[in-house]
Amino acid sequence: AACGHLPLALRAAGARLAARPGWSVAALLERVSDQARLLAELRVGEVTVEAVFEMSFAQLSVRHAQAFLALSVPHCAEFDVRAAAAALRMPEREVEDVLEALVDAALLETGAPGCYHFHDLVGAYARQKARTELPGTEHRAVVRGAVDFLCAGVVAAVRATQPLSGPLTAEAHPRRTPDLEMSGAPEAVRWVRGALPSLTAVVEQAAADGDPDAVALAVDVLTLVPCFEEVLPLGALGRAATALLPAALAHCGRDVIGTAYFAAGAILRKHPSSGSPHRAREHLRKVVEIFGDAPRPADGQRPFLAVLFSLAMLAQLELQLGNFEAARGYAQQSVALAATTGDRSLVARRRTVLLQIEVLDPDRHTELAAIGAQCRELAAVLTRCQDVKWLIRVMMTEADSLLYGGRHTAAVRLYRRVLERARASHHIRNVTECQSQLAVALLAARDADAAVGHAREALAGAQDAGEQQLLARSHQVLGEALRAVGRSCEADGHLAKAAELYRELRQAGPAVAALP
Protein backbone atom coordinates (compact mmCIF):
# COMPACT_ATOMS: atom_id res chain seq x y z
CA ALA A 1 0.00 0.00 0.00
CA ALA A 2 2.87 2.40 0.76
CA CYS A 3 4.15 1.69 -2.77
CA GLY A 4 0.73 2.51 -4.20
CA HIS A 5 0.48 -1.04 -5.62
CA LEU A 6 2.77 0.11 -8.43
CA PRO A 7 4.84 -2.83 -9.84
CA LEU A 8 7.99 -0.76 -10.38
CA ALA A 9 7.78 0.65 -6.86
CA LEU A 10 7.32 -2.82 -5.36
CA ARG A 11 10.26 -4.09 -7.40
CA ALA A 12 12.39 -1.25 -6.04
CA ALA A 13 11.33 -1.98 -2.47
CA GLY A 14 12.13 -5.68 -2.92
CA ALA A 15 15.53 -4.93 -4.45
CA ARG A 16 16.46 -2.68 -1.52
CA LEU A 17 15.54 -5.41 0.95
CA ALA A 18 17.42 -8.08 -1.04
CA ALA A 19 20.58 -5.93 -1.05
CA ARG A 20 20.27 -5.22 2.68
CA PRO A 21 19.64 -8.51 4.52
CA GLY A 22 19.97 -6.76 7.88
CA TRP A 23 16.87 -4.66 7.21
CA SER A 24 13.43 -5.84 8.25
CA VAL A 25 10.34 -5.25 6.15
CA ALA A 26 9.06 -3.03 8.99
CA ALA A 27 12.21 -0.88 8.76
CA LEU A 28 11.70 -0.26 5.05
CA LEU A 29 8.00 0.36 5.58
CA GLU A 30 8.85 3.10 8.08
CA ARG A 31 11.14 4.75 5.53
CA VAL A 32 8.68 4.64 2.62
CA SER A 33 5.84 5.83 4.87
CA ASP A 34 7.64 9.17 5.21
CA GLN A 35 6.34 11.30 2.33
CA ALA A 36 9.48 13.44 2.33
CA ARG A 37 11.76 10.49 1.53
CA LEU A 38 9.32 8.10 -0.19
CA LEU A 39 10.43 8.62 -3.78
CA ALA A 40 14.13 8.62 -2.91
CA GLU A 41 13.74 5.18 -1.30
CA LEU A 42 12.18 3.62 -4.42
CA ARG A 43 15.27 3.00 -6.56
CA VAL A 44 16.56 -0.03 -8.48
CA GLY A 45 20.14 0.71 -9.53
CA GLU A 46 19.95 3.84 -11.65
CA VAL A 47 16.22 3.47 -12.28
CA THR A 48 13.90 5.38 -9.94
CA VAL A 49 10.15 5.67 -9.79
CA GLU A 50 10.64 9.44 -9.79
CA ALA A 51 12.51 9.26 -13.12
CA VAL A 52 9.59 7.43 -14.73
CA PHE A 53 7.19 10.16 -13.59
CA GLU A 54 9.66 12.81 -14.78
CA MET A 55 9.55 11.35 -18.29
CA SER A 56 5.74 11.65 -18.38
CA PHE A 57 5.85 15.16 -16.91
CA ALA A 58 8.37 16.28 -19.55
CA GLN A 59 5.87 15.46 -22.30
CA LEU A 60 3.27 17.91 -20.95
CA SER A 61 2.61 21.34 -22.38
CA VAL A 62 3.43 24.29 -20.12
CA ARG A 63 -0.29 24.79 -19.39
CA HIS A 64 -0.87 21.16 -18.47
CA ALA A 65 2.32 21.00 -16.41
CA GLN A 66 1.32 24.04 -14.36
CA ALA A 67 -2.15 22.57 -13.76
CA PHE A 68 -0.63 19.22 -12.73
CA LEU A 69 1.52 20.88 -10.08
CA ALA A 70 -1.20 23.24 -8.85
CA LEU A 71 -3.78 20.47 -8.46
CA SER A 72 -1.44 18.59 -6.12
CA VAL A 73 -1.25 21.50 -3.66
CA PRO A 74 -4.67 21.25 -1.90
CA HIS A 75 -4.85 18.26 0.43
CA CYS A 76 -7.87 16.71 -1.33
CA ALA A 77 -8.20 12.96 -1.74
CA GLU A 78 -10.55 13.46 -4.70
CA PHE A 79 -11.89 16.42 -6.66
CA ASP A 80 -14.38 17.12 -9.43
CA VAL A 81 -14.27 19.57 -12.32
CA ARG A 82 -15.85 22.37 -10.26
CA ALA A 83 -13.31 22.01 -7.46
CA ALA A 84 -10.41 21.92 -9.94
CA ALA A 85 -11.76 25.03 -11.70
CA ALA A 86 -11.84 26.90 -8.37
CA ALA A 87 -8.28 25.88 -7.50
CA LEU A 88 -6.92 26.73 -10.95
CA ARG A 89 -9.09 29.84 -11.43
CA MET A 90 -10.13 28.62 -14.88
CA PRO A 91 -13.51 28.08 -16.61
CA GLU A 92 -14.93 24.59 -16.06
CA ARG A 93 -15.07 23.69 -19.76
CA GLU A 94 -11.33 24.39 -20.10
CA VAL A 95 -10.47 22.57 -16.88
CA GLU A 96 -12.16 19.36 -17.97
CA ASP A 97 -9.96 19.24 -21.10
CA VAL A 98 -6.87 19.73 -18.91
CA LEU A 99 -7.91 17.00 -16.49
CA GLU A 100 -8.59 14.52 -19.28
CA ALA A 101 -5.20 15.30 -20.85
CA LEU A 102 -3.52 14.48 -17.52
CA VAL A 103 -5.46 11.21 -17.34
CA ASP A 104 -4.26 10.35 -20.86
CA ALA A 105 -0.68 11.06 -19.70
CA ALA A 106 -1.19 8.63 -16.78
CA LEU A 107 -0.51 11.46 -14.31
CA LEU A 108 -4.08 11.60 -13.01
CA GLU A 109 -6.67 8.90 -12.40
CA THR A 110 -10.45 9.00 -12.73
CA GLY A 111 -13.05 6.86 -11.02
CA ALA A 112 -16.63 7.93 -11.55
CA PRO A 113 -17.14 10.27 -14.53
CA GLY A 114 -16.09 13.78 -13.57
CA CYS A 115 -14.17 12.71 -10.43
CA TYR A 116 -10.38 12.68 -10.34
CA HIS A 117 -7.54 11.79 -7.97
CA PHE A 118 -3.78 11.35 -7.92
CA HIS A 119 -2.19 7.94 -7.61
CA ASP A 120 -0.45 8.04 -4.22
CA LEU A 121 3.08 8.04 -5.65
CA VAL A 122 2.23 10.43 -8.48
CA GLY A 123 0.73 12.79 -5.91
CA ALA A 124 3.88 12.59 -3.78
CA TYR A 125 5.96 13.38 -6.87
CA ALA A 126 3.72 16.31 -7.86
CA ARG A 127 3.74 17.84 -4.37
CA GLN A 128 7.51 17.52 -4.10
CA LYS A 129 7.95 19.21 -7.48
CA ALA A 130 5.35 21.90 -6.69
CA ARG A 131 7.30 22.91 -3.56
CA THR A 132 10.30 23.83 -5.67
CA GLU A 133 8.69 25.06 -8.89
CA LEU A 134 5.54 26.92 -7.82
CA PRO A 135 6.09 30.39 -6.32
CA GLY A 136 4.64 31.01 -2.87
CA THR A 137 2.03 33.40 -4.25
CA GLU A 138 0.69 30.69 -6.57
CA HIS A 139 0.68 28.12 -3.77
CA ARG A 140 -1.39 30.42 -1.55
CA ALA A 141 -3.75 31.29 -4.42
CA VAL A 142 -4.44 27.61 -5.09
CA VAL A 143 -5.19 26.88 -1.43
CA ARG A 144 -7.40 29.97 -1.29
CA GLY A 145 -9.29 28.74 -4.35
CA ALA A 146 -9.77 25.30 -2.79
CA VAL A 147 -11.14 26.78 0.45
CA ASP A 148 -13.30 29.14 -1.59
CA PHE A 149 -14.88 26.17 -3.39
CA LEU A 150 -15.54 24.37 -0.11
CA CYS A 151 -17.11 27.51 1.32
CA ALA A 152 -19.35 27.84 -1.73
CA GLY A 153 -20.39 24.20 -1.37
CA VAL A 154 -21.20 24.44 2.34
CA VAL A 155 -23.17 27.66 1.74
CA ALA A 156 -25.19 25.93 -0.99
CA ALA A 157 -25.81 22.94 1.30
CA VAL A 158 -26.98 25.22 4.13
CA ARG A 159 -29.35 27.03 1.75
CA ALA A 160 -30.81 23.70 0.64
CA THR A 161 -31.43 22.41 4.18
CA GLN A 162 -31.69 25.10 6.85
CA PRO A 163 -34.73 27.27 7.69
CA LEU A 164 -32.40 30.09 8.76
CA SER A 165 -30.25 29.78 5.63
CA GLY A 166 -30.65 33.46 4.64
CA PRO A 167 -29.26 34.99 7.85
CA LEU A 168 -26.74 32.16 8.28
CA THR A 169 -25.10 32.77 4.92
CA ALA A 170 -25.76 36.52 4.50
CA GLU A 171 -22.30 37.60 5.67
CA ALA A 172 -20.17 34.73 4.44
CA HIS A 173 -16.73 35.84 3.28
CA PRO A 174 -16.78 36.96 -0.40
CA ARG A 175 -16.34 33.95 -2.70
CA ARG A 176 -14.83 33.62 -6.17
CA THR A 177 -16.55 30.30 -6.93
CA PRO A 178 -19.89 30.53 -8.79
CA ASP A 179 -22.87 29.43 -6.69
CA LEU A 180 -23.22 25.66 -6.59
CA GLU A 181 -26.66 24.28 -7.33
CA MET A 182 -28.06 21.51 -5.14
CA SER A 183 -31.38 19.85 -5.91
CA GLY A 184 -32.45 19.55 -2.28
CA ALA A 185 -31.60 18.30 1.19
CA PRO A 186 -30.53 14.73 0.22
CA GLU A 187 -27.98 15.97 -2.32
CA ALA A 188 -26.78 18.66 0.10
CA VAL A 189 -26.18 16.15 2.90
CA ARG A 190 -24.41 13.75 0.50
CA TRP A 191 -22.16 16.59 -0.66
CA VAL A 192 -21.19 17.65 2.85
CA ARG A 193 -20.53 14.06 3.93
CA GLY A 194 -18.38 13.41 0.86
CA ALA A 195 -16.47 16.67 1.32
CA LEU A 196 -15.71 16.14 5.01
CA PRO A 197 -12.22 14.54 4.64
CA SER A 198 -11.07 17.19 2.14
CA LEU A 199 -12.70 19.94 4.16
CA THR A 200 -10.80 18.89 7.28
CA ALA A 201 -7.45 18.66 5.49
CA VAL A 202 -7.77 21.89 3.48
CA VAL A 203 -8.88 23.94 6.51
CA GLU A 204 -5.79 22.71 8.40
CA GLN A 205 -3.69 23.62 5.37
CA ALA A 206 -5.17 27.13 5.22
CA ALA A 207 -4.47 27.57 8.93
CA ALA A 208 -0.83 26.53 8.46
CA ASP A 209 -0.33 28.80 5.42
CA GLY A 210 -1.67 31.88 7.23
CA ASP A 211 -3.13 33.62 4.18
CA PRO A 212 -5.73 36.01 5.69
CA ASP A 213 -8.33 35.49 2.95
CA ALA A 214 -8.03 31.70 3.10
CA VAL A 215 -8.24 31.75 6.90
CA ALA A 216 -11.38 33.91 6.80
CA LEU A 217 -12.98 31.56 4.27
CA ALA A 218 -12.03 28.54 6.36
CA VAL A 219 -13.64 30.15 9.43
CA ASP A 220 -16.88 30.57 7.45
CA VAL A 221 -16.73 26.91 6.45
CA LEU A 222 -16.33 25.68 10.04
CA THR A 223 -18.96 28.12 11.30
CA LEU A 224 -21.57 26.65 8.93
CA VAL A 225 -20.71 22.93 9.16
CA PRO A 226 -22.32 22.57 12.66
CA CYS A 227 -25.66 23.05 10.86
CA PHE A 228 -25.21 19.39 9.92
CA GLU A 229 -24.47 18.05 13.41
CA GLU A 230 -27.41 15.62 13.18
CA VAL A 231 -25.92 13.83 10.18
CA LEU A 232 -22.13 14.29 10.52
CA PRO A 233 -19.51 13.19 13.08
CA LEU A 234 -18.77 16.82 13.91
CA GLY A 235 -15.96 15.93 16.32
CA ALA A 236 -13.86 14.81 13.31
CA LEU A 237 -13.23 18.51 12.67
CA GLY A 238 -11.76 19.11 16.12
CA ARG A 239 -8.13 19.30 15.02
CA ALA A 240 -8.97 21.63 12.13
CA ALA A 241 -10.98 23.96 14.39
CA THR A 242 -8.20 24.00 16.97
CA ALA A 243 -5.58 24.83 14.32
CA LEU A 244 -7.72 27.55 12.73
CA LEU A 245 -8.29 29.59 15.89
CA PRO A 246 -4.67 30.82 16.37
CA ALA A 247 -4.47 31.51 12.63
CA ALA A 248 -7.54 33.75 12.87
CA LEU A 249 -6.11 35.50 15.92
CA ALA A 250 -2.85 36.15 14.05
CA HIS A 251 -4.21 37.26 10.68
CA CYS A 252 -7.84 38.43 10.90
CA GLY A 253 -10.07 41.07 12.44
CA ARG A 254 -12.61 41.02 15.27
CA ASP A 255 -15.58 39.53 13.40
CA VAL A 256 -13.57 36.62 11.99
CA ILE A 257 -11.89 36.00 15.35
CA GLY A 258 -15.26 35.95 17.13
CA THR A 259 -16.71 33.46 14.66
CA ALA A 260 -13.53 31.36 14.85
CA TYR A 261 -14.10 31.02 18.59
CA PHE A 262 -17.71 30.06 17.84
CA ALA A 263 -16.68 27.40 15.30
CA ALA A 264 -14.11 25.92 17.69
CA GLY A 265 -16.63 25.82 20.54
CA ALA A 266 -19.41 24.32 18.42
CA ILE A 267 -17.14 21.58 17.11
CA LEU A 268 -15.18 20.75 20.28
CA ARG A 269 -18.38 20.13 22.27
CA LYS A 270 -18.77 17.07 20.00
CA HIS A 271 -15.12 15.97 20.18
CA PRO A 272 -14.43 12.68 22.00
CA SER A 273 -11.25 13.78 23.82
CA SER A 274 -11.21 14.31 27.55
CA GLY A 275 -11.81 17.91 28.55
CA SER A 276 -13.36 18.92 25.22
CA PRO A 277 -16.64 20.11 26.80
CA HIS A 278 -14.70 22.46 29.06
CA ARG A 279 -12.59 23.83 26.20
CA ALA A 280 -15.76 24.28 24.13
CA ARG A 281 -17.34 26.21 27.01
CA GLU A 282 -14.31 28.53 27.25
CA HIS A 283 -14.43 29.26 23.50
CA LEU A 284 -18.18 29.96 23.49
CA ARG A 285 -17.85 32.27 26.48
CA LYS A 286 -15.18 34.13 24.51
CA VAL A 287 -17.72 34.66 21.69
CA VAL A 288 -20.05 36.41 24.13
CA GLU A 289 -17.13 38.44 25.50
CA ILE A 290 -16.11 39.61 22.01
CA PHE A 291 -19.58 40.41 20.63
CA GLY A 292 -21.43 41.22 23.88
CA ASP A 293 -24.33 39.25 25.35
CA ALA A 294 -27.06 41.13 23.47
CA PRO A 295 -25.95 42.19 19.98
CA ARG A 296 -28.66 43.52 17.66
CA PRO A 297 -29.39 41.93 14.27
CA ALA A 298 -29.17 45.41 12.74
CA ASP A 299 -25.51 45.56 13.76
CA GLY A 300 -24.73 42.44 11.70
CA GLN A 301 -26.02 38.89 11.38
CA ARG A 302 -22.63 37.37 12.16
CA PRO A 303 -22.27 38.70 15.76
CA PHE A 304 -25.99 38.26 16.48
CA LEU A 305 -26.20 34.63 15.37
CA ALA A 306 -22.83 33.71 16.89
CA VAL A 307 -23.99 34.94 20.32
CA LEU A 308 -27.50 33.49 19.96
CA PHE A 309 -26.16 30.02 19.14
CA SER A 310 -23.32 30.28 21.66
CA LEU A 311 -25.78 30.94 24.49
CA ALA A 312 -27.86 27.91 23.47
CA MET A 313 -24.74 25.72 23.24
CA LEU A 314 -23.49 26.97 26.60
CA ALA A 315 -26.85 25.99 28.06
CA GLN A 316 -26.49 22.49 26.62
CA LEU A 317 -22.90 22.15 27.85
CA GLU A 318 -23.83 23.22 31.39
CA LEU A 319 -26.69 20.72 31.27
CA GLN A 320 -24.27 18.00 30.15
CA LEU A 321 -22.04 18.88 33.10
CA GLY A 322 -24.99 18.81 35.53
CA ASN A 323 -25.06 22.58 36.20
CA PHE A 324 -28.80 23.14 35.88
CA GLU A 325 -29.03 26.72 37.11
CA ALA A 326 -26.21 27.88 34.84
CA ALA A 327 -27.82 26.02 31.93
CA ARG A 328 -31.18 27.64 32.64
CA GLY A 329 -29.61 31.10 32.77
CA TYR A 330 -27.94 30.74 29.38
CA ALA A 331 -31.12 29.29 27.85
CA GLN A 332 -33.23 32.17 29.15
CA GLN A 333 -30.73 34.65 27.68
CA SER A 334 -30.96 32.92 24.30
CA VAL A 335 -34.79 33.02 24.38
CA ALA A 336 -34.73 36.75 25.20
CA LEU A 337 -32.24 37.45 22.41
CA ALA A 338 -34.29 35.46 19.88
CA ALA A 339 -37.42 37.38 20.92
CA THR A 340 -35.84 40.66 19.77
CA THR A 341 -36.19 39.45 16.16
CA GLY A 342 -39.94 38.82 16.33
CA ASP A 343 -39.32 35.46 14.61
CA ARG A 344 -41.65 32.92 16.28
CA SER A 345 -39.81 29.91 14.85
CA LEU A 346 -36.45 31.18 16.14
CA VAL A 347 -37.96 31.73 19.58
CA ALA A 348 -39.45 28.21 19.43
CA ARG A 349 -36.02 26.68 18.88
CA ARG A 350 -34.52 28.55 21.82
CA ARG A 351 -37.51 27.71 24.07
CA THR A 352 -36.98 24.05 23.18
CA VAL A 353 -33.52 24.21 24.73
CA LEU A 354 -35.00 25.72 27.90
CA LEU A 355 -37.61 22.92 28.08
CA GLN A 356 -34.91 20.28 27.60
CA ILE A 357 -33.23 21.64 30.72
CA GLU A 358 -36.48 21.84 32.68
CA VAL A 359 -37.48 18.26 31.97
CA LEU A 360 -34.10 16.88 33.12
CA ASP A 361 -33.69 19.04 36.24
CA PRO A 362 -34.77 17.13 39.39
CA ASP A 363 -35.53 20.55 40.93
CA ARG A 364 -37.39 21.77 37.85
CA HIS A 365 -39.26 25.07 37.97
CA THR A 366 -42.11 23.84 35.75
CA GLU A 367 -44.48 20.90 36.22
CA LEU A 368 -43.97 18.02 33.79
CA ALA A 369 -47.54 18.27 32.47
CA ALA A 370 -46.98 21.96 31.70
CA ILE A 371 -43.67 21.12 29.95
CA GLY A 372 -45.52 18.62 27.76
CA ALA A 373 -48.18 21.21 26.87
CA GLN A 374 -45.51 23.77 25.95
CA CYS A 375 -43.76 21.17 23.79
CA ARG A 376 -46.96 20.57 21.82
CA GLU A 377 -47.38 24.32 21.34
CA LEU A 378 -43.82 24.65 20.01
CA ALA A 379 -44.26 21.57 17.82
CA ALA A 380 -47.13 23.31 16.03
CA VAL A 381 -44.91 26.33 15.30
CA LEU A 382 -42.01 24.19 14.09
CA THR A 383 -44.32 22.10 11.91
CA ARG A 384 -45.61 25.23 10.17
CA CYS A 385 -42.07 26.40 9.37
CA GLN A 386 -41.01 22.85 8.32
CA ASP A 387 -38.12 22.72 10.77
CA VAL A 388 -37.70 18.95 11.02
CA LYS A 389 -34.58 18.98 13.21
CA TRP A 390 -36.11 21.06 15.99
CA LEU A 391 -39.52 19.41 15.64
CA ILE A 392 -37.85 16.08 16.42
CA ARG A 393 -36.10 17.64 19.42
CA VAL A 394 -39.24 19.16 20.89
CA MET A 395 -41.20 15.92 20.38
CA MET A 396 -38.39 14.08 22.15
CA THR A 397 -38.63 16.54 25.04
CA GLU A 398 -42.38 15.92 25.30
CA ALA A 399 -41.69 12.17 25.39
CA ASP A 400 -39.12 12.80 28.15
CA SER A 401 -41.78 14.65 30.15
CA LEU A 402 -44.05 11.59 29.89
CA LEU A 403 -41.24 9.23 30.86
CA TYR A 404 -40.13 11.17 33.93
CA GLY A 405 -43.75 11.74 34.89
CA GLY A 406 -44.29 7.97 35.15
CA ARG A 407 -46.42 7.63 31.98
CA HIS A 408 -44.16 4.97 30.56
CA THR A 409 -46.49 3.42 27.96
CA ALA A 410 -47.39 6.83 26.53
CA ALA A 411 -43.70 7.71 26.44
CA VAL A 412 -42.91 4.52 24.50
CA ARG A 413 -45.57 5.38 21.91
CA LEU A 414 -44.25 8.91 21.41
CA TYR A 415 -40.60 7.84 21.27
CA ARG A 416 -41.57 5.36 18.53
CA ARG A 417 -43.21 8.17 16.53
CA VAL A 418 -40.13 10.36 16.98
CA LEU A 419 -37.85 7.49 15.96
CA GLU A 420 -39.82 6.95 12.76
CA ARG A 421 -39.57 10.65 11.89
CA ALA A 422 -35.85 10.81 12.71
CA ARG A 423 -35.12 7.78 10.53
CA ALA A 424 -37.09 9.25 7.62
CA SER A 425 -35.05 12.46 7.96
CA HIS A 426 -31.74 10.53 8.15
CA HIS A 427 -30.89 12.46 11.33
CA ILE A 428 -28.45 9.90 12.65
CA ARG A 429 -27.76 11.60 15.96
CA ASN A 430 -31.46 12.08 16.74
CA VAL A 431 -32.05 8.42 15.89
CA THR A 432 -29.33 7.43 18.37
CA GLU A 433 -30.68 9.63 21.19
CA CYS A 434 -34.22 8.41 20.57
CA GLN A 435 -33.16 4.73 20.58
CA SER A 436 -31.47 5.30 23.94
CA GLN A 437 -34.48 7.02 25.52
CA LEU A 438 -36.88 4.46 24.03
CA ALA A 439 -34.81 1.72 25.69
CA VAL A 440 -35.17 3.54 29.02
CA ALA A 441 -38.93 3.85 28.56
CA LEU A 442 -39.25 0.18 27.61
CA LEU A 443 -37.33 -0.80 30.73
CA ALA A 444 -39.68 1.29 32.83
CA ALA A 445 -42.63 -0.33 31.05
CA ARG A 446 -41.22 -3.79 31.94
CA ASP A 447 -40.26 -4.78 28.38
CA ALA A 448 -36.57 -5.44 28.99
CA ASP A 449 -36.00 -7.65 25.93
CA ALA A 450 -37.12 -4.90 23.54
CA ALA A 451 -35.07 -2.41 25.57
CA VAL A 452 -31.89 -4.42 24.97
CA GLY A 453 -32.40 -4.33 21.19
CA HIS A 454 -32.89 -0.57 21.06
CA ALA A 455 -30.02 0.04 23.47
CA ARG A 456 -27.66 -1.97 21.26
CA GLU A 457 -28.69 0.09 18.23
CA ALA A 458 -28.17 3.28 20.24
CA LEU A 459 -24.65 2.19 21.17
CA ALA A 460 -23.80 1.44 17.52
CA GLY A 461 -25.04 4.91 16.53
CA ALA A 462 -23.08 6.56 19.34
CA GLN A 463 -19.91 4.78 18.24
CA ASP A 464 -20.40 6.10 14.71
CA ALA A 465 -21.00 9.63 16.03
CA GLY A 466 -17.90 9.47 18.23
CA GLU A 467 -19.36 11.74 20.92
CA GLN A 468 -18.23 10.82 24.41
CA GLN A 469 -21.40 11.95 26.18
CA LEU A 470 -23.56 9.97 23.78
CA LEU A 471 -21.30 6.94 24.15
CA ALA A 472 -21.38 7.10 27.95
CA ARG A 473 -25.17 7.35 28.01
CA SER A 474 -25.55 4.49 25.51
CA HIS A 475 -23.23 2.17 27.46
CA GLN A 476 -25.13 3.00 30.64
CA VAL A 477 -28.57 2.32 29.18
CA LEU A 478 -27.43 -0.95 27.57
CA GLY A 479 -25.88 -2.01 30.86
CA GLU A 480 -29.15 -1.33 32.70
CA ALA A 481 -31.14 -3.23 30.07
CA LEU A 482 -28.80 -6.25 30.12
CA ARG A 483 -28.96 -6.36 33.90
CA ALA A 484 -32.76 -6.39 33.70
CA VAL A 485 -32.69 -9.55 31.53
CA GLY A 486 -30.24 -11.28 33.85
CA ARG A 487 -27.06 -10.88 31.78
CA SER A 488 -25.11 -9.37 34.65
CA CYS A 489 -21.59 -10.12 33.42
CA GLU A 490 -22.11 -8.36 30.07
CA ALA A 491 -24.03 -5.59 31.84
CA ASP A 492 -21.16 -4.91 34.23
CA GLY A 493 -18.78 -4.37 31.32
CA HIS A 494 -21.00 -1.70 29.77
CA LEU A 495 -21.68 0.01 33.09
CA ALA A 496 -17.95 0.10 33.85
CA LYS A 497 -17.29 1.62 30.43
CA ALA A 498 -19.99 4.23 31.05
CA ALA A 499 -18.44 5.14 34.41
CA GLU A 500 -15.01 5.46 32.78
CA LEU A 501 -16.35 7.76 30.07
CA TYR A 502 -18.20 9.92 32.58
CA ARG A 503 -14.97 10.27 34.59
CA GLU A 504 -13.14 11.36 31.44
CA LEU A 505 -15.86 13.94 30.89
CA ARG A 506 -15.05 15.15 34.44
CA GLN A 507 -18.54 14.50 35.69
CA ALA A 508 -19.86 11.96 38.18
CA GLY A 509 -22.69 10.72 35.96
CA PRO A 510 -25.54 11.79 33.69
CA ALA A 511 -27.85 14.65 34.50
CA VAL A 512 -30.67 12.15 35.05
CA ALA A 513 -30.43 8.49 35.98
CA ALA A 514 -31.08 5.96 33.24
CA LEU A 515 -34.25 4.76 34.97
CA PRO A 516 -36.83 7.35 36.10
Side-chain angles (χ1 to χ4, degrees), residues 172-514:
H173 194 273
R175 302 189 312 280
R176 301 156 185 84
T177 306
D179 286 341
L180 302 185
E181 293 185 7
M182 295 191 184
S183 58
E187 183 188 356
V189 170
R190 282 195 301 272
W191 188 92
V192 175
R193 279 184 182 149
L196 193 61
S198 294
L199 191 152
T200 304
V202 172
V203 166
E204 287 186 43
Q205 189 176 11
D209 285 355
D211 174 63
D213 282 347
V215 170
L217 284 163
V219 168
D220 279 350
V221 171
L222 291 197
T223 300
L224 292 172
V225 169
C227 291
F228 301 94
E229 65 178 342
E230 307 303 333
V231 296
L232 291 179
L234 203 58
L237 290 160
R239 194 171 74 175
T242 301
L244 193 57
L245 184 53
L249 285 165
H251 303 289
C252 301
R254 166 183 169 272
D255 280 8
V256 175
I257 290 170
T259 45
Y261 272 111
F262 168 78
I267 288 166
L268 286 176
R269 69 197 171 97
K270 302 292 185 181
H271 196 268
S273 66
S274 176
S276 286
H278 296 270
R279 286 191 293 147
R281 183 170 58 175
E282 290 170 9
H283 292 326
L284 294 170
R285 285 174 174 170
K286 192 71 176 176
V287 176
V288 179
E289 179 185 322
I290 291 171
F291 292 136
D293 59 3
R296 298 180 304 170
D299 295 333
Q301 290 291 344
R302 182 187 295 263
F304 175 76
L305 291 175
V307 172
L308 179 70
F309 296 148
S310 291
L311 290 170
M313 290 176 187
L314 283 165
Q316 291 166 332
L317 282 167
E318 295 292 358
L319 176 63
Q320 177 181 319
L321 296 168
N323 303 326
F324 293 102
E325 280 306 311
R328 184 178 286 106
Y330 282 125
Q332 288 169 339
Q333 280 184 273
S334 72
V335 170
L337 193 57
T340 64
T341 67
D343 184 335
R344 290 188 66 200
S345 60
L346 185 59
V347 174
R349 297 181 194 105
R350 302 286 72 84
R351 283 183 61 196
T352 298
V353 175
L354 184 56
L355 291 177
Q356 288 172 331
I357 296 162
E358 286 296 313
V359 80
L360 292 173
D361 188 355
D363 301 319
R364 61 184 65 89
H365 298 181
T366 309
E367 294 295 326
L368 286 167
I371 290 174
Q374 290 181 47
C375 286
R376 290 189 291 276
E377 170 201 332
L378 297 179
V381 175
L382 295 166
T383 299
R384 284 195 294 274
C385 65
Q386 299 181 321
D387 191 337
V388 177
K389 179 170 79 173
W390 282 95
L391 176 59
I392 289 170
R393 290 184 181 183
V394 82
M395 289 176 68
M396 182 97 74
T397 306
E398 182 188 354
D400 289 344
S401 73
L402 295 170
L403 173 63
Y404 299 123
R407 299 176 60 190
H408 305 141
T409 303
V412 167
R413 285 198 299 269
L414 185 50
Y415 283 129
R416 290 192 189 279
R417 283 175 51 204
V418 177
L419 182 58
E420 183 179 347
R421 190 181 289 270
R423 281 173 168 160
S425 307
H426 305 290
H427 285 184
I428 300 166
R429 193 182 187 286
N430 280 334
V431 168
T432 300
E433 285 191 332
C434 192
Q435 293 271 29
S436 182
Q437 286 298 89
L438 176 56
V440 173
L442 286 165
L443 271 178
R446 303 291 187 265
D447 190 352
D449 289 326
V452 169
H454 285 291
R456 286 198 190 282
E457 290 186 46
L459 179 57
Q463 288 167 334
D464 287 341
E467 292 179 33
Q468 208 161 357
Q469 175 74 17
L470 209 54
L471 268 173
R473 177 70 170 161
S474 299
H475 275 294
Q476 184 196 10
V477 174
L478 180 54
E480 297 281 3
L482 288 167
R483 180 171 286 174
V485 296
R487 298 168 66 174
S488 298
C489 185
E490 187 180 356
D492 289 346
H494 286 289
L495 292 171
K497 183 63 177 176
E500 176 190 338
L501 288 168
Y502 282 129
R503 281 195 298 274
E504 289 177 6
L505 284 164
R506 301 181 191 172
Q507 62 185 87
V512 178

Side-chain angles (χ1 to χ4, degrees), residues 2 28-38:
L28 181 61
L29 177 61
E30 184 178 352
R31 295 170 75 92
V32 298
S33 296
D34 181 349
Q35 286 285 309
R37 65 198 298 181
L38 169 61

